[in-house]
Amino acid sequence: MGKLRKAVFFDRDGTLMEDVHYCNDPNAVRVFAGVSSVLRSLRISGWLVVLVTNQSGIARGRITMEQYQSVHAEFLEQIDHQMDAAYFCADSPDAPTRRRKPGPGMLEEAARDLGIDLGASWMVGDKAVDIEAGRAAGCRTILVRTGCGSVESANGANVVISDVVAAGEWILNAGE
């Protein structure tokens, strides 16, 4: 097997885009300013960019799979398709599997699929479950102060920073 690659895993809602409770309408997708550019810079610098998102609205019946796919398509359009892979977990918090954050399952699945070295990778998110998932997978972690991150404690994150653009720039400048 070849050399493993490094990745930056990102939560979606509240991290890369405005958190819209159970977002089921592509017209409600609002990606934060500068996200596309920083994702492009990460990819150019050799980082894989991977989305890992809990979407319990599917299990709860608040979002159909078709609605999720439409929202995801609009999200990808707004970030100029600067994403190498995307994983979502539809589990309800009442019946979680290892894939649902704070479990590390989606990160581990991506590592298997894409040949990722989790220890050389980062998880960026706005919630404790993002930080816990990253730590459980063996990644370094960044808590951003957007979305729920504006009121979250540091939750053991390696770095706490203002937003995803600053997090991406920090990784590019100091993240090896």
Side-chain angles (χ1 to χ4, degrees), residues 24-35:
N24 62 9
D25 180 358
N27 293 317
V29 174
R30 303 272 186 284
V31 170
F32 294 128
V35 167

Side-chain angles (χ1 to χ4, degrees), residues 67-129:
Q67 288 171 320
Y68 170 77
Q69 291 169 341
S70 293
V71 165
H72 184 67
E74 177 60 25
F75 167 77
L76 289 175
E77 188 69 27
Q78 288 188 29
I79 64 164
D80 297 323
H81 299 271
Q82 295 299 315
M83 190 72 50
D84 293 295
Y87 295 81
F88 74 96
C89 182
D91 296 347
S92 165
D94 302 328
T97 64
R98 184 172 174 83
R99 287 189 84 241
R100 181 178 169 77
K101 295 180 291 180
M106 287 187 282
L107 287 85
E108 293 167 342
E109 187 177 331
R112 281 190 307 272
D113 293 350
L114 303 171
I116 294 170
D117 178 353
L118 292 170
S121 297
W122 290 91
M123 174 68 211
V124 180
D126 70 316
K127 295 180 183 163
V129 295

Side-chain angles (χ1 to χ4, degrees), residues 2-156:
K3 183 180 178 213
L4 294 177
R5 301 179 69 189
K6 58 189 180 181
V8 183
F9 295 95
F10 290 96
D11 171 57
R12 189 187 78 183
D13 304 326
T15 301
L16 296 172
M17 66 179 247
E18 291 178 15
D19 192 350
V20 177
H21 202 55
Y22 301 116
C23 188
N24 62 9
D25 180 358
N27 293 317
V29 174
R30 303 272 186 284
V31 170
F32 294 128
V35 167
S36 177
S37 179
V38 81
L39 297 180
R40 181 180 296 105
S41 294
L42 285 164
R43 294 177 78 210
I44 289 169
S45 294
W47 294 88
L48 290 174
V49 172
V50 181
L51 182 72
V52 288
T53 179
N54 285 344
Q55 294 296 322
S56 69
I58 297 168
R60 296 171 190 224
R62 295 184 178 207
I63 305 171
T64 66
M65 187 57 68
E66 182 178 89
Q67 288 171 320
Y68 170 77
Q69 291 169 341
S70 293
V71 165
H72 184 67
E74 177 60 25
F75 167 77
L76 289 175
E77 188 69 27
Q78 288 188 29
I79 64 164
D80 297 323
H81 299 271
Q82 295 299 315
M83 190 72 50
D84 293 295
Y87 295 81
F88 74 96
C89 182
D91 296 347
S92 165
D94 302 328
T97 64
R98 184 172 174 83
R99 287 189 84 241
R100 181 178 169 77
K101 295 180 291 180
M106 287 187 282
L107 287 85
E108 293 167 342
E109 187 177 331
R112 281 190 307 272
D113 293 350
L114 303 171
I116 294 170
D117 178 353
L118 292 170
S121 297
W122 290 91
M123 174 68 211
V124 180
D126 70 316
K127 295 180 183 163
V129 295
D130 301 317
I131 301 310
E132 292 170 32
R135 291 179 63 186
C139 296
R140 295 164 290 175
T141 57
I142 298 178
L143 178 72
V144 292
R145 291 296 188 195
T146 51
C148 292
S150 64
V151 296
E152 288 276 343
S153 70
N155 295 309

